Amino acid sequence: AAAAIYAGALLTNEKVTQTAVGDVADISVVTIRNRYRDLIEIEGETQAP
């Protein structure tokens, strides 16, 4: 969920850091970063022709 919040913030041009999201969600920035990459990878696969 934290990675989705971080991704949504980026998509809406909100200035938020992985650290800020991690602090609120009580999760590490490494986990956010890895799950964010997973989300981006999945999104790329669903848009491929």
Side-chain angles (χ1 to χ4, degrees), residues 7-46:
L10 292 180
L11 289 171
T12 58
N13 295 318
E14 291 291 323
K15 294 189 187 282
V16 67
T17 64
Q18 293 173 356
T19 301
V21 174
D23 287 346
V24 172
D26 194 29
I27 195 165
S28 77
V29 294
V30 174
T31 300
I32 292 171
R33 188 175 306 121
N34 289 338
R35 297 301 71 85
Y36 172 75
R37 288 179 184 158
D38 291 344
L39 288 172
I40 297 304
E41 183 178 309
I42 290 169
E43 179 64 21
E45 291 173 2
T46 60

